[in-house]
Amino acid sequence: MVGKSFGSYPFAEGPMLAVPQVPVTLAHRAFSASAPELRRPLSQIKIAWNTGVSVTHAEAKVVLALSEYLNAMLFNRLRERHGDAYAPVASYQPDECSGIFEINIPSTQASQRIERKVFEGIAGLKESIDASELERFRDRVELKRRKNAESNESIVERLVQRAVEGGSIHDLNLEAVTADSVLAAARRYLPSYEGAYVRLSLVGR
């Protein structure tokens, strides 16, 4: 199959080209747009910033644990407690040259109100991390990691990521991550309200 698909292309050897590091997000930018796939009163707010923590960074596993903790906090705060959002999701997406944090929240509430609530929650998270909650998230990520290890598709994906990016997020082991290290990462890598992040508000038609 490889020969059939790629046999006509010349073979080449040598080191992978180095990809320059993406600058860390340093300023606040806010955008608004209409989205034809959304119907009023539904809207969507996307918040993202580059932490600079790539997949091979020494703190990548700590930031991954932080993303799981933040994801659960937002779900509890915005959906279960107040019913302000449908399925808030926070994720950490590192590669060779960047470490993007993204928060994605569909809601029928005003985007400005949701944005403020997100950063009120982040401010509280910077004050303390519940060690027992963190342990539960660590176990969940480890279970997912081991389950994915049994998938042929996941194995191939990891091999490609290791070859192209120098590592895979699925290889990050959270067993040694402590509450103190996650708290330090929260204070270092999570922005404050109207701080260094990009916010996109999508309004339904």
Side-chain angles (χ1 to χ4, degrees), residues 35-50:
E37 68 274 14
L38 300 177
R39 291 290 179 268
R40 289 183 181 273
L42 186 63
S43 63
Q44 190 169 16
I45 180 170
K46 295 175 179 284
I47 299 168
W49 65 96
N50 179 24

Side-chain angles (χ1 to χ4, degrees), residues 10-52:
F11 179 76
E13 289 183 329
M16 297 290 292
L17 295 176
V19 179
Q21 294 295 304
V22 177
V24 173
T25 305
L26 297 175
H28 180 259
R29 301 287 300 276
F31 304 93
S32 298
S34 61
E37 68 274 14
L38 300 177
R39 291 290 179 268
R40 289 183 181 273
L42 186 63
S43 63
Q44 190 169 16
I45 180 170
K46 295 175 179 284
I47 299 168
W49 65 96
N50 179 24
T51 63

Side-chain angles (χ1 to χ4, degrees), residues 55-196:
V55 72
T56 57
H57 194 286
E59 291 195 293
K61 59 181 179 292
V62 180
V63 178
L64 176 60
L66 173 61
S67 72
E68 292 289 329
Y69 197 99
L70 176 60
N71 186 60
M73 182 275 290
L74 291 176
F75 186 90
N76 179 62
R77 184 181 184 87
L78 296 179
R79 179 174 178 172
E80 292 192 344
R81 191 183 303 174
H82 300 294
D84 289 325
Y86 293 106
V89 175
S91 62
Y92 166 57
Q93 303 166 23
D95 55 25
E96 181 186 6
C97 58
S98 66
I100 305 299
F101 236 111
E102 181 178 345
I103 299 173
N104 191 344
I105 304 173
S107 175
T108 56
Q109 304 294 323
S111 295
Q112 295 88 343
R113 179 171 183 266
I114 295 298
E115 184 179 359
R116 284 185 178 276
K117 285 201 169 189
V118 166
F119 285 97
E120 286 171 3
I122 287 177
L125 191 151
K126 291 180 181 180
E127 294 297 321
S128 65
I129 296 291
D130 187 323
S132 61
E133 285 291 295
L134 177 62
E135 183 176 358
R136 184 165 64 88
F137 301 143
R138 280 200 314 243
D139 292 343
R140 185 172 66 186
V141 172
E142 179 63 18
L143 180 62
K144 184 191 302 183
R145 189 170 75 94
R146 295 188 180 188
K147 183 177 181 181
N148 287 339
E150 300 174 358
S151 164
N152 290 335
E153 182 178 350
S154 179
I155 291 172
V156 172
E157 180 183 2
R158 289 188 189 190
L159 290 173
V160 171
Q161 289 173 340
R162 289 169 188 162
V164 175
E165 300 174 1
S168 169
I169 192 173
H170 302 297
D171 294 334
L172 299 177
N173 190 339
L174 306 189
E175 291 181 5
V177 174
T178 66
D180 286 342
S181 64
V182 173
L183 180 59
R187 292 170 175 172
R188 181 174 183 180
Y189 297 116
L190 298 185
S192 301
Y193 178 66
E194 293 190 342

